[in-house]
Amino acid sequence: MIQVRMQFGNLYMKILDSQETFDFTLEKIRTIPGRSFNLKTGEWMCGREQVSRLLVLFPNQIIWMTPLREIVEAEGLPIEDELVQRHLQWEQDTDFPSFKVPLYPYQKVGANFLVDRGCAATFDGCGLGKTPQLIGACMRLFERGKARRALIVTLNSLKRQWAREIDKFTGEDAIVVAGTPAQRIGAIEKFENSDVRFLIVNYETFRTKDYLERIKKLPLDIVALDEAQKIKTGVTDKMLRLKPSQNAAAVHQLRHIPYRFLATATPVVGKAEEIWSLFYFLDENILGPWERFRERYCKYHPRYGINGYQNMGELHYRIAPHFIRRTKDMPEIQQQLPEVQHSHLFLDMTPKQAQVHDAILEKIAEAREESSKLRSSGKSFQFLHGQLVSTEEALDAIDARVQGYYNFLVGACDTLELFHMSGSTMADQIVKELAITDKDFKSPKIEQLKEFYKSMTYDEPESKVVIFTRFARMAEIIHRELPNSVLYHGQLPTSEKEEAVRRFVEDPSVKAFVATDAASTGLNLQVANYMVMIDLPWDHTLLEQRIGRIDRTGNRAKNITIYYYVMSNSFDEQILEIIQRKAELADQILESGKAARKVDVTKLAVEWMLKNRERRQAAG
C-alpha cells in the first residue's frame, strides 16, 4: 500500500506497508522511471506523467491524498492514458443510471472493480457500504447482458435487510429463502419459475443437502457472499487432520457459477489457510492447490498441525490484484462521506425470539380485553387475584402489567437472556411458560455488534464507539461481550461512572462506552466517531440527546456514523416508524409555531402491531 500526493507537478509516494511487504513494494517503486527519494519527508518522488505507471503497479493499493482526477487534470495537461481514463470513468455520475439512490464515487469504483475482475472481493472497512457495491456489480452485469440472475448468501439475521437494500437501490424484488422446510423449497421453486433476479439465502441453508442441490441446479450467473468470513475454514488436509466447516464445504460447491464475489469487513488476520479458503472460492488458480500452497506459506508439524507462516509478503502480492480495500480514515473516502451518516440495520429474530415476542403480544391483547370488560361492567369493585379491590385499582394493576409487557417486547428484541436476569415474577412466568433456556440466549443484535466491533478495532485502531440501550442489564451483557469497553448506567456509583467517562476519553486502549440513557445528557464523548443504538428510546428528543454525545463541537472525526439495530416485523420496527413520524411532525410544528401534541409512542406501536396481528389472523 502506498500513499500518493501531488505538489508542484510531481507525485510524492510514501510506503505504508509492514516489514513483511515493504520490500515487495519498494522493488516495484524502483521500476518507475525518473524516481528519486526525499530524505527529509521519507517519500519517493516522480513526475506526474507516471500516474499511469502507478496504476499498473498498484491498481487497488493506493491511498490518494490528492484525488486522481485532480492529478490527471492539473495544469491543463490531462493524461490521455487508457488505464487512467478507465479508473476515472469508474467514478462517473453517469454510471448506474437505474439506481434510485446514488452511490458514492468510491462505491462506484468498488462495484466496477468487481465487474472488471469477474471474480473478486471487497474488504472495505465497516460503514462504507459493501452491500450497494455488490448490488451495483450485479446490476452492471445485468445491464451489459453478461448475467441474468444472482444468488446472495448472507447471515440468517441479515436476509431481509438485503431484500430491503435491493429494493432501496434498484426497486427490484428479491426472494428470501426462509421459514419452514416447505416454505424454503417453495421460495426456491418460486424463484426458478419467476422473473425475479435476486435470490437470498443464509449460509446454514446449504447444510441441508436438498436445498443445496436445488440451488446448484438453478441457472445462476452470479453468487455474492456477504460476511464471507463464514467460509474461512475450508481446507481439507488428511495429514494435518484439517476438515472444512459445513459452510465452506457447501459454498465451495458453487464455484461453477461464472461471477463470484466476496465481501467482508473482517478479512482473515495472519492465517494463511483462511486466506486460501476465501480465494479458492473466487478462483482456484489464484493460489493453486492446497498442498503446494501449504509448502510455500505454512510452517507445520504432522502431529501438531500448522504452527507458523512464511513468505507472507509474497502471499499478499499474489492476492492483491483480486481484492479492493478502503477504510474510513483514508482522505479520499472522508472527502466523499457526509459529516453524519444514519444507517438502519434490520435484523431477523431467532425463532425463539419471535415466539416470545408473539406470546407477549398475546398477553397484551388479553390484558386489554380484560380491561375493556372491567370498564363496561359498571361495577365499583372487582376481584383481582382473590382480593376485593375497586375497579379503578384493578384497572391500574392491569395497566401496570401492560407497561411491564411493553418492556418485555423490547427485551425480546434485544436478547432473551434479559428474562433470566430480570428476577421479576412476570419474567419468571414467561420463562417457565415458554421454556426459555440458556440455549435461546443467542442475540442477532449482539452478534452483529461483535462483528462490527471486531471490524472497527481492526480497520480503524483510532476509532471509538458509544453504545446505547434502555436496559442496565443489557448494557452489562454488552460490556461482558466487548473487550476494552467501559460501562455506564444509573445504578452505578458516581465515582464509577466518572471513571468510565475518564477512561473512555483519555485511554486510547478503551474502545467502547456502553451506556443506558443515564448517559444521554451532560456527557462529552466526542472522542467517538461511531454510535450504535441497540434499542430505541420512547421519544425522538431522547434519541437526539443520545446522538448529541458525539455529534458536537470538538469532535475531531470528519465523519460520524450512527447505527440503529432494528428487528424486522417487531415492536422495534413500529417504534422506529413512529419516532420518525414524530420527528417530522416536530419539525413542521417548529416551523409553523404550533404546539406539539403529546403522543404515547409505546401504546401507539402496540396498537399497530395488534391490528396487524388481527389482519393476519383474519386472512389465515
Side-chain angles (χ1 to χ4, degrees), residues 340-398:
V340 181
Q341 282 183 292
H342 296 269
S343 179
H344 297 84
L345 192 60
F346 292 87
L347 305 170
D348 285 346
M349 288 188 283
T350 65
K352 194 65 175 183
Q353 277 181 300
Q355 179 193 2
V356 173
H357 184 274
D358 291 347
I360 294 170
L361 271 181
E362 181 71 30
K363 288 181 179 295
I364 292 174
E366 292 172 355
R368 289 192 165 200
E369 185 177 350
E370 183 182 353
S371 179
S372 178
K373 288 180 180 179
L374 287 181
R375 292 180 189 279
S376 61
S377 68
K379 297 180 180 179
S380 300
F381 294 91
Q382 308 285 340
F383 279 100
L384 184 69
H385 303 307
Q387 293 184 334
L388 185 65
V389 298
S390 68
T391 298
E392 186 175 344
E393 289 175 318
L395 290 172
D396 287 344
I398 294 172

Side-chain angles (χ1 to χ4, degrees), residues 545-558:
Q545 288 174 352
R546 287 182 177 184
I547 295 171
R549 297 316 93 216
I550 69 171
D551 182 15
R552 58 196 301 117
T553 303
N555 195 321
R556 296 180 181 178
K558 293 185 177 180

Side-chain angles (χ1 to χ4, degrees), residues 541-572:
T541 56
L542 185 53
L543 191 63
E544 291 170 359
Q545 288 174 352
R546 287 182 177 184
I547 295 171
R549 297 316 93 216
I550 69 171
D551 182 15
R552 58 196 301 117
T553 303
N555 195 321
R556 296 180 181 178
K558 293 185 177 180
N559 311 107
I560 293 171
T561 304
I562 316 293
Y563 289 108
Y564 304 83
Y565 288 3
V566 181
M567 285 302 187
S568 298
N569 303 315
S570 74
F571 189 57
D572 266 358

Side-chain angles (χ1 to χ4, degrees), residues 248-293:
V251 170
H252 282 170
Q253 295 185 50
L254 303 177
R255 291 185 300 108
H256 65 283
I257 299 174
Y259 294 95
R260 300 186 292 280
F261 304 135
L262 297 178
T264 174
T266 53
V268 292
V269 184
K271 289 192 175 183
E273 66 271 27
E274 296 179 357
I275 293 173
W276 184 88
S277 182
L278 290 177
F279 285 89
Y280 175 75
F281 169 78
L282 289 180
D283 185 345
E284 61 186 20
N285 296 312
I286 294 174
L287 295 176
W290 162 250
E291 289 76 16
R292 190 188 305 163
F293 178 91

Side-chain angles (χ1 to χ4, degrees), residues 3-7 10-13 41 43 65-66 71:
Q3 177 178 289
V4 177
R5 65 182 178 90
M6 183 179 70
Q7 186 175 9
N10 291 316
L11 300 182
Y12 291 81
M13 302 160 286
T41 64
E43 295 172 300
M65 304 300 288
T66 304
I71 293 173

